[in-house]
Amino acid sequence: MFLSLQMEGTDGTAVPPSLADRSHRSSISSTSARSLDVLVYLVDDTAVQLSVDNLMSVTAHELHRIIRDALQLPECAMDVFSLWLISPLLEVQLKPKHQPYKVCRQWQELLFRFTDCPEDEIMQDEPSLQFRRNVFFPKRRELQLEHEAVLRLLYEEAKFNILEGRYPCDPEDCEQLGALVCRLQLGPYDQDQHTPCALKEKLEAFLPAHLCRRGHGLLTVLRKRGAKQPAYEQGLLQAFQAVQEEAACEEPEALRQHYRAYLQRCHQLPYYGCAFFYGEIDKPAQGFLHRGGRKAVSVAISLEGVYVIDSKEKHVLLGLRFQELSWDHTYPDEEEEHILWLEFDGENEGTQVNKLLKIYSKQAELMSGLIEYCIELNSAAEASAPDNSASQSPPPLQVSKLRPKLRRQNSVVCSRIQHLATIDYIEDGKEIKRVKPKRTASFFTRQFSHGPTSYSAVQAAAESLEQG
């Protein structure tokens, strides 16, 4: 669901370029000296028109409640969803106290600060106000939700991220997710209406566009089945046929069940619900001249950890829980560019080392701040958890059978550390003396003073940095 709000004129993440045509779809029209009309766009391009008093001073929290009431969403929607300002150049999740109009007036300043875009693009860019999932809403609470409209909005957002390739997904799982989309969009399977030819006309509504375009990946897997009809349509059709329907289940309840099934499968993707940022990393040196260059990546950050995703190949390069990393960011006066540093345990020719990955991005400061805030939220939640928390926990979801599929060999969710150009530390700290992240000790002392971690900082290297 999207809210477009055209105005003059922090937290933040990057948005796929394919959203460009969504960012200039509406405007605010004045109905009185105090009231402005705001069009609220949904993913299906339907719109809700709101008349908002004192829009220039209204807070995100107040506007959120107006939207929730207009869409007749339950009170829980205040926690599930947040307001975001979106453009092809930047995404910003607003805090409740933020005033959207004022943030929009500062939009160009934010772009100059957090993007490398040319000045002419920055001056022409204009944000949309979007109503979508709150990054800080825990996944464990999501499937306790019962309201159909809330589940539908979460489903629509997850589907969009799958189809856009923002959530990399294995071909087998793309097929299963696509089958659920077929069921929700086309109704129960009907062999007379639902044919391979019928699906072919709408294939990119069911499967990620990058897989459909490539001619390999999912399409190759499905073509091997040898059907005379285009095999990928046939494979999707077979999965659609296999979608389970409970007997004597009314359609509203059936829709809820299928929304849940889609979300349950998406929950197995470690980057579900993340905020996304743009960046680049060094490629490993190749060839006689050791030429490397850089690779475009998206950095996904959630309450659980950090994931570096190859923007072109649509697979994970590095996935780390917060217990497994240390981090810092540096400015151009310290380094040649804005850099987010991620440090983690690894191996180099049989020797245990700490690996250091450089992510070049003007959004490094935003990423670092979000990591720190997520860790603080986790620490606060653990500290306040009652002793009887087990009795308050929801019953376990029946999705354990899905997880092995995402741990299969060469799964897109598995880290590909061999594809990374990292700086490796050894215990005596002799190889690297200058760029060790400064936050190593305080990070683990602050978050994990009450329990063990799986990351071991190299103290000698840290000392050499302080001295250098």
Side-chain angles (χ1 to χ4, degrees):
M1 168 176 159
F2 296 82
L3 303 183
S4 285
L5 183 59
Q6 198 170 33
M7 302 182 187
E8 302 176 14
T10 65
D11 320 313
T13 61
V15 65
S18 58
L19 288 182
D21 58 347
R22 295 175 179 263
S23 64
H24 301 287
R25 298 187 303 179
S26 65
S27 61
I28 301 174
S29 59
S30 177
T31 57
S32 70
R34 298 179 62 252
S35 179
L36 291 173
D37 280 347
V38 180
L39 290 180
V40 180
Y41 283 87
L42 309 183
V43 170
D44 60 4
D45 282 335
T46 58
V48 178
Q49 183 169 327
L50 303 175
S51 182
V52 180
D53 292 336
N54 300 318
L55 181 62
M56 295 181 184
S57 60
V58 71
T59 65
H61 178 78
E62 294 165 340
L63 187 56
H64 190 297
R65 185 167 294 278
I66 294 171
I67 296 164
R68 193 210 73 182
D69 292 342
L71 296 173
Q72 298 182 344
L73 298 176
E75 184 67 27
C76 67
M78 296 297 293
D79 295 327
V80 179
F81 302 104
S82 287
L83 290 177
W84 293 66
L85 281 173
I86 302 293
S87 88
L89 308 183
L90 184 68
E91 290 185 3
V92 177
Q93 178 172 319
L94 299 178
K95 297 179 180 179
K97 65 181 181 180
H98 281 153
Q99 295 175 317
Y101 184 85
K102 291 184 178 179
V103 179
C104 284
R105 294 293 299 269
Q106 301 168 355
W107 191 248
Q108 276 71 38
E109 297 176 30
L110 294 176
L111 295 181
F112 276 115
R113 181 177 177 184
F114 296 121
T115 76
D116 291 309
C117 298
E119 183 175 352
D120 58 340
E121 290 186 22
I122 288 177
M123 300 310 296
Q124 294 176 13
D125 190 60
E126 192 167 12
S128 301
L129 191 63
Q130 188 181 114
F131 187 73
R132 73 180 196 192
R133 192 183 188 280
N134 179 4
V135 168
F136 308 115
F137 187 70
K139 287 194 296 187
R140 66 178 180 274
R141 292 178 54 193
E142 188 169 290
L143 292 182
Q144 301 176 47
L145 302 170
E146 298 289 344
H147 198 279
E148 180 185 337
V150 174
L151 291 173
R152 179 180 60 81
L153 293 176
L154 290 170
Y155 154 78
E156 292 286 357
E157 183 174 337
K159 180 186 71 173
F160 176 81
N161 286 324
I162 291 288
L163 296 180
E164 289 292 311
R166 204 177 201 191
Y167 290 168
C169 194
D170 289 329
E172 298 89 338
D173 299 294
C174 288
E175 186 180 79
Q176 298 300 316
L177 290 168
L180 288 168
V181 177
C182 289
R183 167 60 183 89
L184 287 161
Q185 292 188 6
L186 306 177
Y189 174 74
D190 183 329
Q191 63 179 0
D192 295 327
Q193 297 183 35
H194 304 140
T195 64
C197 290
L199 295 187
K200 181 179 180 180
E201 296 176 359
K202 302 178 179 179
L203 193 63
E204 291 194 5
F206 308 128
L207 301 177
H210 67 279
L211 292 180
C212 296
R213 288 193 298 265
R214 283 181 176 179
H216 58 79
L218 176 63
L219 307 188
T220 302
V221 170
L222 297 176
R223 284 192 184 110
K224 290 180 180 178
R225 300 182 181 181
K228 294 182 180 180
Q229 297 274 359
Y232 45 89
E233 291 112 23
Q234 186 65 47
L236 183 62
L237 189 64
Q238 291 172 0
F240 181 16
Q241 246 180 304
V243 173
Q244 296 182 353
E245 302 282 351
E246 293 196 12
C249 182
E250 297 293 333
E251 185 65 4
E253 178 58 30
L255 293 178
R256 280 194 291 270
Q257 290 177 2
H258 296 311
Y259 292 146
R260 286 175 181 277
Y262 195 97
L263 293 171
Q264 281 181 320
R265 191 171 286 271
C266 287
H267 281 196
Q268 306 312 308
L269 301 170
Y271 27 77
Y272 173 81
C274 281
F276 287 81
F277 303 79
Y278 283 148
E280 292 181 328
I281 61 173
D282 292 315
K283 293 181 180 179
Q286 296 179 343
F288 178 74
L289 297 177
H290 301 288
R291 292 178 178 175
R294 291 186 183 177
K295 179 191 296 287
V297 297
S298 59
V299 183
I301 300 175
S302 72
L303 288 171
E304 299 176 3
V306 181
Y307 305 89
V308 181
I309 299 171
D310 190 311
S311 298
K312 180 180 178 182
E313 298 299 328
K314 308 297 183 184
H315 59 219
V316 171
L317 294 168
L318 180 65
L320 297 169
R321 295 171 298 163
F322 291 128
Q323 299 95 323
E324 299 171 322
L325 64 85
S326 177
W327 93 100
D328 197 9
H329 76 278
T330 52
Y331 296 92
D333 59 344
E334 301 175 37
E335 293 293 331
E336 69 278 8
E337 299 179 60
H338 292 270
I339 295 174
L340 178 74
W341 303 87
L342 297 180
E343 188 177 30
F344 55 99
D345 285 346
E347 185 178 289
N348 187 336
E349 298 180 351
T351 301
Q352 294 298 314
V353 299
N354 286 350
K355 289 182 171 290
L356 186 62
L357 178 67
K358 298 169 68 173
I359 302 175
Y360 305 92
S361 175
K362 286 191 74 173
Q363 298 176 358
E365 180 183 355
L366 297 176
M367 291 187 265
S368 179
L370 181 55
I371 291 171
E372 185 163 13
Y373 187 60
C374 286
I375 290 170
E376 291 175 356
L377 287 179
N378 288 333
S379 297
E382 291 176 9
S384 62
D387 294 337
N388 62 345
S389 59
S391 63
Q392 298 181 2
S393 299
L397 299 172
Q398 301 300 315
V399 295
S400 59
K401 294 182 180 179
L402 301 179
R403 185 167 294 278
K405 296 191 70 177
L406 295 179
R407 299 300 179 188
R408 62 176 73 87
Q409 189 175 8
N410 297 322
S411 169
V412 297
V413 306
C414 295
S415 294
R416 291 161 171 76
I417 297 178
Q418 70 275 16
H419 294 175
L420 299 175
T422 59
I423 301 170
D424 293 349
Y425 287 87
I426 57 177
E427 289 189 359
D428 59 13
K430 293 180 179 178
E431 292 195 1
I432 300 297
K433 297 182 179 180
R434 188 170 58 89
V435 294
K436 177 74 176 179
K438 296 171 290 186
R439 227 183 268 228
T440 301
S442 63
F443 168 63
F444 288 106
T445 301
R446 181 172 65 249
Q447 186 189 5
F448 296 107
S449 58
H450 57 281
T453 75
S454 60
Y455 170 82
S456 302
V458 181
Q459 296 300 324
E463 294 170 359
S464 66
L465 171 67
E466 296 171 356
Q467 296 172 359

